Amino acid sequence: MPTNKLKDQQIKSLKPLPKAYKVFDGGGLFLYVTPTGGKFWRVAYRLHGKPQTIAFGPYPEISLAAAREKLAALKTTLRSGDSPMAERHSKRKTPTFADACAAYWSGRNDVSDGYKTNASRALTMHLYPSLGNIPIGAISRNDLLACLQRMNAAGKYEYVRKVRMWAGQVWDWAIENGHATENPAASIRPEKAFGKNPVESFAALSLREVPDFLERLALERDLNSVLACRMLALTWVRTGELRTMTWDDIDDNTWVIPAAKMKRRREHIVPLSRQAQAILAEMQLRSAGNYVFPAPHRLDRPMSENAILYLIARIGFKGRMTGHGWRTIASTWANERGYAPDAIERQLAHTPDNKVRAAYNKAEYLPLRREMMQAWADWLIPS
């Protein structure tokens, strides 16, 4: 096998990827590059026919030349028939899982005390009873999985994923410090091993049911909640975004929602149809505060998060419709009429799957979206 294939400049240029990967120098020596950008020297070798891995330490603390020197020394040890791990273990006792957790988390000064406390408590409660006193290098994947599956069986679907992640970080530390050769947590695939919480769906009417809903809504007095429900329909936003809408966010025929108010923390532009602007004109006559849809008796607070839901229940559509349901209805309407999927998804403030497309200018498709939103408003509330 060719050796000395790596160059320092090449190593420096290695970039992190979503998953860890290996770059080989030859002779079993390789760099293990983590998703966070860490680069660690490791060697894959066989002892008595069994595959083994040993860690030399991080780059650049361990230079390329030093790693190769360590590889040469390792090969000398192997030729003599000795185990390279035996010398390490003779110098220091392998820590138990509990010892390793304590050592690792005490050294995590890059996270808050609260985060460390939560992680340590979770490992103590769910893994220590079975694994705490076992040397960390002796714990198998099945040992760890058995503990995690008990959490999964109790319905702790999200929590078990966090515990696996926190335990995996401890094993990474143990490997780099020579206390273990494999990370059993890394080989457990959460999407396959654990269950998932049921996805909450938001009730939404079919397109043919919308006229009946609007006809019933028209029988209500022009309460703020009624106007808010109509505005929700006309803009395709989420209820929380509408509730916190302020006059400062309105720029003529455009509503610019600050990133801090958005679910995905990105500024969102909403074209306002003539019908939406008419509702704003009506609300300007009613609202003396900064919120467009304030609480009934507190102008300094936004409308209740349940105001629209209570309205929908009161007019007889409980369980069949929600405020969020307007997004489903509008998306169905736009797709059936052949509008560009990218424009529809951008109007719904969904993040594109393609990273290049996600980097487009924030106003991309705005002319088409403005045309689409006016057509939707004319279908929904003919002027």
Side-chain angles (χ1 to χ4, degrees):
M1 179 184 294
T3 57
N4 298 352
K5 295 190 293 185
L6 292 176
K7 305 292 183 183
D8 269 310
Q9 191 58 41
Q10 178 187 358
I11 296 173
K12 292 175 182 177
S13 67
L14 295 174
K15 304 297 182 184
L17 297 176
K19 291 186 177 181
Y21 64 96
K22 303 173 183 178
V23 181
F24 289 87
D25 184 54
L29 178 65
F30 64 91
L31 267 175
Y32 183 81
V33 185
T34 70
T36 58
K39 301 169 186 177
F40 301 94
W41 290 113
R42 295 180 182 176
V43 176
Y45 63 96
R46 284 184 175 273
L47 184 66
H48 307 308
K50 295 182 179 180
Q52 307 284 337
T53 303
I54 190 171
F56 284 168
Y59 177 89
E61 285 82 352
I62 304 297
S63 67
L64 176 58
R68 287 170 177 167
E69 289 177 3
K70 287 177 174 288
L71 175 63
L74 172 65
K75 289 185 174 181
T76 299
T77 301
L78 291 174
R79 281 194 291 269
S80 68
D82 295 331
S83 169
M85 297 301 292
E87 183 179 356
R88 289 191 177 191
H89 290 307
S90 65
K91 294 181 180 179
R92 56 184 174 182
K93 180 183 176 182
T94 300
T96 64
F97 179 72
D99 293 335
C101 289
Y104 171 72
W105 286 107
S106 65
R108 283 293 302 273
N109 297 319
D110 59 321
V111 296
S112 69
D113 290 340
Y115 185 88
K116 289 194 288 187
T117 299
N118 287 339
S120 298
R121 181 186 297 121
L123 296 171
T124 300
M125 289 177 57
H126 300 287
L127 300 187
Y128 279 21
S130 298
L131 309 178
N133 294 325
I134 301 175
I136 190 167
I139 298 172
S140 69
R141 177 185 183 276
N142 288 341
D143 293 334
L144 175 61
L145 185 60
C147 296
L148 297 176
Q149 287 290 15
R150 285 194 288 270
M151 298 179 64
N152 185 67
K156 303 179 185 294
Y157 303 134
E158 297 301 323
Y159 197 38
V160 70
R161 286 167 164 79
K162 292 183 179 180
V163 172
R164 186 204 70 89
M165 175 188 70
W166 288 327
Q169 293 171 357
V170 176
W171 258 288
D172 282 340
W173 171 89
I175 290 171
E176 297 312 322
N177 285 276
H179 303 310
T181 58
E182 298 293 335
N183 184 342
S187 64
I188 297 174
R189 298 173 59 187
E191 70 277 13
K192 299 293 185 182
F194 310 131
K196 294 182 179 179
N197 289 318
V199 177
E200 179 184 3
S201 59
F202 296 93
L205 301 173
S206 64
L207 286 176
R208 66 175 180 273
E209 294 175 302
V210 171
D212 290 340
F213 179 88
L214 294 176
E215 183 177 350
R216 177 61 186 85
L217 188 65
L219 299 177
E220 296 294 300
R221 293 179 297 132
D222 279 342
L223 302 172
N224 286 2
S225 59
V226 173
L227 295 178
C229 186
R230 289 182 182 138
M231 183 62 109
L232 204 59
L234 290 166
T235 54
W236 304 13
V237 298
R238 300 174 179 87
T239 305
E241 295 153 9
L242 183 77
R243 290 177 53 244
T244 56
M245 181 186 197
T246 65
W247 295 111
D248 294 337
D249 299 338
I250 308 301
D251 183 10
D252 192 23
N253 63 351
T254 304
W255 173 16
V256 181
I257 307 178
K261 296 181 182 179
M262 295 298 298
K263 179 180 180 180
R264 300 188 184 276
R265 294 298 184 260
R266 293 169 130 189
E267 184 179 85
H268 182 48
I269 296 177
V270 182
L272 297 173
S273 62
R274 292 189 300 274
Q275 290 87 335
Q277 293 176 67
I279 292 176
L280 291 178
E282 174 64 25
M283 291 307 302
Q284 268 191 319
L285 300 176
R286 304 181 181 196
S287 175
N290 197 32
Y291 287 109
V292 176
F293 296 99
H297 306 294
R298 288 290 301 270
L299 298 181
D300 61 332
R301 293 184 181 178
M303 173 184 290
S304 164
E305 59 184 9
N306 291 318
I308 293 175
L309 202 59
Y310 289 153
L311 167 68
I312 292 172
R314 190 173 70 248
I315 65 176
F317 287 83
K318 182 178 181 180
R320 297 169 55 196
M321 179 60 174
T322 59
H324 198 96
W326 281 119
R327 290 165 59 82
T328 301
I329 296 169
S331 176
T332 302
W333 176 91
N335 278 289
E336 286 188 358
R337 280 155 181 76
Y339 284 99
D342 284 331
I344 297 171
E345 294 305 297
R346 185 58 58 88
Q347 185 60 39
L348 291 166
H350 288 163
T351 303
D353 293 332
N354 186 297
K355 292 184 178 179
V356 175
R357 287 162 66 189
Y360 280 178
N361 184 281
K362 65 184 179 182
E364 191 74 24
Y365 306 113
L366 190 56
L368 178 56
R369 288 165 53 204
R370 197 174 291 281
E371 173 190 329
M372 176 177 67
M373 297 305 287
Q374 186 58 59
W376 159 254
D378 290 339
W379 179 83
L380 197 68
I381 308 174
S383 55

